[in-house]
Each structure stands twice: as structure tokens, then as C-alpha cells.
Amino acid sequence: MITIKASMLLKEKLRETETEIISAIQKELSRIGRRVDSKELEHVPFDAELEQYIEGLRLDMHGTIWVDTSFEDITEKRLIDFLSDGEVRLEFLLDLLILLEKIC
């Protein structure tokens, strides 16, 4: 019982951390005020097999973070969907935040 409660608390903390990082990325993109091309980043903080398909990041008018891609079947995907689909890890989001903070 105590183990179940501990794991539930850790899951909730993880969700809160994800939300905080996504919010901070939104704020950085808002501060930058334009689409950020992947070439502006020191590296593309996604899994190696996805890196080559990531073209840039931007906010839409509702504050949703979109990733522009060169996948054959889609040209854009919400950042949160990359996370939900297991295509980007929390550490990558933190790296992305750090990289965005360096852009003027």
C-alpha cells in the first residue's frame, strides 16, 4: 500500500515537472517571438532517429508548441504529442529549454 502511494506521488511529481518544463519552453518561444529553426540550436534534443526530421519550433496563437517536421506523412506535430508518444524524453525537453534560453 505504501509503495503504491509512493509510486503515485512520484508519477504526479513527474507530470508536474513535465508541465513546468513545457510552460518554460512556451515562455522562451514567446520571448523569442518567432519560429526557431533547428539549425539555430547547438543540437536537436530528440532521439537520434528523429533528429534529421526536426525543422523548427513555434508557438501558435493559442500558445501551443508545434514542431515543424519533414516526415513524409506530417509536416507538424505538437511537442506534447512527441512526449506522449514516447518520441522525446523529459531530459530532451530540459535540453531544449536550455538551448532556447541561449537564443537572442
Side-chain angles (χ1 to χ4, degrees), residues 11-59:
K11 278 186 177 184
E12 182 58 32
K13 283 189 178 272
L14 182 60
R15 274 189 227 110
E16 288 173 5
T17 301
E18 289 171 354
T19 301
E20 288 174 12
I21 294 172
I22 292 288
S23 177
I25 290 171
Q26 286 171 316
K27 287 177 185 168
E28 282 302 307
L29 286 171
S30 181
R31 176 190 63 80
I32 294 166
R34 61 176 174 76
R35 178 184 182 273
V36 175
D37 193 284
S38 62
K39 293 175 183 148
E40 295 178 70
L41 305 173
E42 292 174 18
H43 66 282
V44 179
F46 284 76
D47 283 327
E49 63 269 6
L50 297 179
E51 253 179 52
Q52 63 185 332
Y53 300 105
I54 305 303
E55 295 184 343
L57 293 109
R58 60 186 165 78
L59 286 178

Side-chain angles (χ1 to χ4, degrees), residues 46 50 53-58 64-71 73-88:
F46 284 76
L50 297 179
Y53 300 105
I54 305 303
E55 295 184 343
L57 293 109
R58 60 186 165 78
T64 302
I65 304 168
W66 287 89
V67 179
D68 294 325
T69 71
S70 61
F71 294 125
D73 55 341
I74 58 170
T75 58
E76 63 183 11
K77 185 173 179 176
R78 294 182 315 161
L79 181 61
I80 197 74
D81 292 334
F82 275 97
L83 186 63
S84 298
D85 294 345
E87 296 171 323
V88 66

